[in-house]
Amino acid sequence: MSAAEPSLDALIDALRRLPGVGVKSAQRMAFHLLQHDRDGAQKLATALSGAVQRVHHCRRCHTFSESEVCAVCADAGRDASKLCVIETPADQAALERTGSYRGLYFVLMGRLSPLDGIGVRDIGVAELLERAADPAVQEVILALGFSAEGEATAHALGLALRARGARVTRLARGVPVGSELEYVDLSTIAHAMSDRR
Amino acid sequence: MSAAEPSLDALIDALRRLPGVGVKSAQRMAFHLLQHDRDGAQKLATALSGAVQRVHHCRRCHTFSESEVCAVCADAGRDASKLCVIETPADQAALERTGSYRGLYFVLMGRLSPLDGIGVRDIGVAELLERAADPAVQEVILALGFSAEGEATAHALGLALRARGARVTRLARGVPVGSELEYVDLSTIAHAMSDRR
C-alpha cells in the first residue's frame, strides 16, 4: 500500500510468508481482515501465538502434539506390533478416518527431496530406525505417497530398515475404488495387474 | 487433524477465515508455519494485533490510515479541486504509482453488490456526497472497475452526485497500452471507437 502505514505493510509482509500467498493475495487478505473481519484477525493472532507456544512434536512418533506423547502413542489399546510410516499429520488423519488401521505411527514430517535440500536428517531417519528397533515392532508399513519423491523416500527407508532386519511392507498400488478402468492411468493398471490377488 | 490438539485445530479454523483459504490450504499453512517457520507465525501474530489496534480509516477519504487523516489527505501540495472515487486502497496505490494524478481520493472500501448484501450504506455514499459538497471540489472522477458491479456502482454514484450539481467524469475505456487490436475483446474496441479523440 503506502509507506505511510507501517502496520499495514508489516501485516502484508507477514501474510506473504504463508505458503502459496503472493503480494496480491496478501493485500486482499489484509484488506478483508481489516475491513470485514477484525474479530477474525484477532482470533488468528491468538491462535498463532497459542499454537507456536503449545504445539510441539510427540517424542515417540514425531507428529504435532501438545503433550510429550501424543494421544495415539499413549493409547494402550493400539497394536504396538505395527508401525506405519507416513509423511504428514494430514496423512495420519486420513488413515485414522478409514478406521482400517489400529497400529502406531511414525510421522516423517516431510519426505526426501534433494532439490529442496531436504535430506535424511530433516525427516528424522535415525529416529525412525531407533523406533523400529523396538522389539515390540513386528512390521513397518511404509504408507508414503506414490509421487517420485515419496517413492524415493520409501526406497531409501526400506533399504535401511531391511538392513536392520525389520519386516517392511508398502501400501498396495491399484485401481482406486469407484473408478472406471478406462480412465485410470496405465501405470496404475499395470501395477494392479501384477499385484492381483 | 485430531480432537486431541485443540491449539492446532484452533489455528486451522482461524486460517480458514482468510479469503480464498479452504480446509486443505489452512492445514497446509498451519503445518508449514509450525514445521518450518515458527518465527514467521510469531511475526504474523504480532503484525495482526498491531494492525487491528493501529489501522483505522482516514476521516476524510476513508482509506486505511494510522493517523486520523491519511498522508495523502494531509498533503497540502495535492490538488483539492479533484476528487477521485475508487473501490479499494489497492486501486489507490495503483493510481499513485502511475504518477498521473495529483488530486485527492475517496475510497469506497467496496462496491455495490446486492447479491452479497452490500448496499449504499456499506460503501459510505452519504459520506461521499458530503465530501463532494466541499466547495473546493470542482470535479469528481469515478475510477471504479469496469466490472458489472463497478459499472452499477458508478452509475448510482454518478446519478446522486450529478443531482447535487457536481461535475462527474469517468476513466476512459479503451484499448490497453501494448495490446494488439485483434486480441482485445469486442466491447472494449467498440468503446474505444465511440470515445475516439
Side-chain angles (χ1 to χ4, degrees), chain B residues 34-85:
Chain B
L34 290 172
Q35 184 67 10
H36 303 293
D37 195 10
R38 284 180 180 240
D39 173 55
Q42 201 58 74
K43 280 220 173 74
L44 180 53
T46 312
L48 282 162
S49 304
V52 166
Q53 243 169 53
R54 285 192 289 274
V55 175
H56 301 284
H57 291 285
C58 168
R59 191 165 48 79
R60 295 196 77 198
C61 76
H62 279 207
T63 197
F64 289 129
S65 171
E66 292 184 36
S67 41
E68 208 191 333
V69 172
C70 74
V72 172
C73 286
D75 181 352
R78 310 277 312 196
D79 179 358
S81 72
K82 292 191 178 60
L83 185 68
C84 183
V85 181

Side-chain angles (χ1 to χ4, degrees), chain A residues 20-133:
Chain A
V21 175
V23 64
K24 292 270 177 196
S25 304
Q27 276 188 4
R28 196 160 57 97
M29 287 173 173
F31 178 82
H32 172 82
L33 289 175
L34 290 172
Q35 183 67 13
H36 302 293
D37 195 10
R38 285 181 178 240
D39 174 55
Q42 201 59 72
K43 280 217 173 75
L44 180 53
T46 313
L48 283 162
S49 303
V52 166
Q53 243 169 54
R54 286 191 289 273
V55 176
H56 301 285
H57 291 285
C58 168
R59 192 166 47 79
R60 296 198 74 200
C61 76
H62 279 206
T63 196
F64 289 129
S65 171
E66 291 183 38
S67 40
E68 208 191 335
V69 172
C70 74
V72 172
C73 287
D75 181 353
R78 312 273 315 195
D79 179 358
S81 72
K82 292 191 178 64
L83 185 67
C84 183
V85 181
I86 46 185
E87 293 178 19
T88 68
D91 294 344
Q92 179 176 3
L95 265 168
E96 285 292 293
R97 276 199 301 275
T98 69
S100 64
Y101 181 71
R102 292 294 300 163
L104 295 174
Y105 292 94
F106 189 91
V107 187
L108 298 172
M109 291 288 177
R111 54 189 173 192
L112 292 179
S113 177
L115 290 178
D116 301 325
I118 297 172
V120 167
R121 241 171 247 181
D122 302 292
I123 61 171
V125 173
E127 288 88 340
L128 169 60
L129 294 177
E130 194 184 320
R131 177 72 184 80

Side-chain angles (χ1 to χ4, degrees), chain B residues 107-130:
Chain B
V107 187
L108 298 173
M109 292 289 178
R111 54 190 173 191
L112 292 177
S113 177
L115 290 178
D116 300 324
I118 297 172
V120 167
R121 243 173 246 180
D122 302 290
I123 62 170
V125 172
E127 289 88 343
L128 169 61
L129 295 177
E130 194 184 319

Side-chain angles (χ1 to χ4, degrees), chain B residues 128-139:
Chain B
L128 169 61
L129 295 177
E130 194 184 319
R131 176 74 184 80
D134 180 340
V137 176
Q138 303 288 314
E139 179 183 357

Side-chain angles (χ1 to χ4, degrees), chain A residues 86-193:
Chain A
I86 46 185
E87 293 178 19
T88 68
D91 294 344
Q92 179 176 3
L95 265 168
E96 285 292 293
R97 276 199 301 275
T98 69
S100 64
Y101 181 71
R102 292 294 300 163
L104 295 174
Y105 292 94
F106 189 91
V107 187
L108 298 172
M109 291 288 177
R111 54 189 173 192
L112 292 179
S113 177
L115 290 178
D116 301 325
I118 297 172
V120 167
R121 241 171 247 181
D122 302 292
I123 61 171
V125 173
E127 288 88 340
L128 169 60
L129 294 177
E130 194 184 320
R131 177 72 184 80
D134 180 340
V137 175
Q138 303 288 317
E139 179 183 357
V140 180
I141 304 160
L142 297 177
L144 303 164
F146 288 111
S147 62
E149 291 170 343
E151 295 268 20
T153 308
H155 182 73
L157 294 181
L159 285 181
L161 286 161
R162 283 195 192 94
R164 276 155 190 80
R167 187 177 155 237
V168 180
T169 56
R170 290 199 65 187
L171 287 190
R173 271 179 289 209
V175 179
V177 174
S179 60
E180 301 276 4
L181 215 59
E182 73 173 303
Y183 298 114
V184 173
D185 71 291
L186 300 184
S187 143
T188 299
I189 296 180
H191 274 295
M193 179 59 79

